[in-house]
Amino acid sequence: MELTLRLHHRLLDEKRPCRVITAVDALCRTQVPETLRGLRTQRVRWHRGPAQALWRHRGMVLRPRYGTVGMAALPVFWSIELLGPVIELTGYGMLAALLLLGGPTTAALLVFAMAYLHGLTQSLTALVTEGRVYPSPDDPLRLAGACLLEPLLYRPLLAFWRCQALVTMGRRARWGSVARKRLS
């Protein structure tokens, strides 16, 4: 992300034409950390990097001379990628407060149900459309079961970690390392 933004920023500042083409069929795999601590380190790092790139190139936002990148892509990244976890975590807090303080629980639970079903639909759609062949016929069923828990457990945790990345972004935060297991 940093390289792409830097190229756009520099070339457009120099009034040189540039165009970045997306490879829609590109595939990238990563080794999943085996511990919760390793997963946290990875996800904080994965959010801090784009956050730093967006901050470094904030002068491009809503500036017509940077074309679609400045007028559309960067505002979307700022609102969804950077502010999304803050809004999501705030929503979880507000839901908890409504339930604890006896607020309009029907409305709160309806909003929660809609968010849960949205997350579940995204996860199940990804599972079905990936087109992967699994080693065991039970694997898709286990993954579907995990999809039921993902919006309840993983999403709030991920939102919290992404907010941590934003809080530590301005400091001289270390990138950290993730313990990896040798693949055979």
Side-chain angles (χ1 to χ4, degrees):
M1 181 176 192
E2 165 59 24
L3 180 59
T4 303
L5 286 175
R6 188 178 300 197
L7 283 169
H8 273 289
H9 205 160
R10 183 171 190 169
L11 293 174
L12 292 171
D13 278 349
E14 294 173 359
K15 298 191 184 339
R16 293 170 54 192
C18 68
R19 184 173 147 198
V20 176
I21 300 170
T22 302
V24 293
D25 58 346
L27 207 62
C28 180
R29 300 193 187 271
T30 186
Q31 190 173 357
V32 179
E34 294 188 6
T35 65
L36 194 60
R37 183 180 192 158
L39 183 63
R40 178 198 168 275
T41 299
Q42 180 191 64
R43 299 308 158 129
V44 166
R45 187 174 58 232
W46 281 8
H47 194 67
R48 187 183 300 132
Q52 288 174 337
L54 288 170
W55 183 255
R56 187 173 295 128
H57 298 284
R58 65 190 177 276
M60 294 174 66
V61 177
L62 298 176
R63 306 262 315 268
R65 81 184 212 188
Y66 296 110
T68 306
V69 172
M71 296 301 291
L74 286 175
V76 167
F77 268 99
W78 271 88
S79 61
I80 293 174
E81 290 298 318
L82 278 185
L83 299 178
V86 175
I87 294 167
E88 187 176 350
L89 211 54
T90 301
Y92 293 132
M94 290 173 66
L95 175 64
L98 280 172
L99 294 175
L100 289 172
L101 300 173
T105 55
T106 304
L109 291 175
L110 183 60
V111 169
F112 175 77
M114 289 185 332
Y116 174 79
L117 290 173
H118 175 70
L120 181 62
T121 302
Q122 285 182 321
S123 296
L124 289 173
T125 301
L127 177 64
V128 170
T129 60
E130 183 186 22
R132 181 175 173 189
V133 177
Y134 294 96
S136 164
D138 294 341
D139 286 348
L141 291 175
R142 283 197 297 269
L143 287 170
C147 288
L148 293 170
L149 295 175
E150 187 256 352
L152 300 172
L153 302 175
Y154 180 67
R155 290 294 308 178
L157 192 57
L158 181 61
F160 179 72
W161 289 338
R162 291 172 74 193
C163 286
Q164 282 184 325
L166 293 177
V167 169
T168 61
M169 185 182 82
R171 303 182 199 151
R172 290 258 177 208
R174 294 178 40 210
W175 281 95
S177 62
V178 176
R180 300 190 190 279
K181 183 177 175 182
R182 184 181 168 105
L183 299 175
S184 51

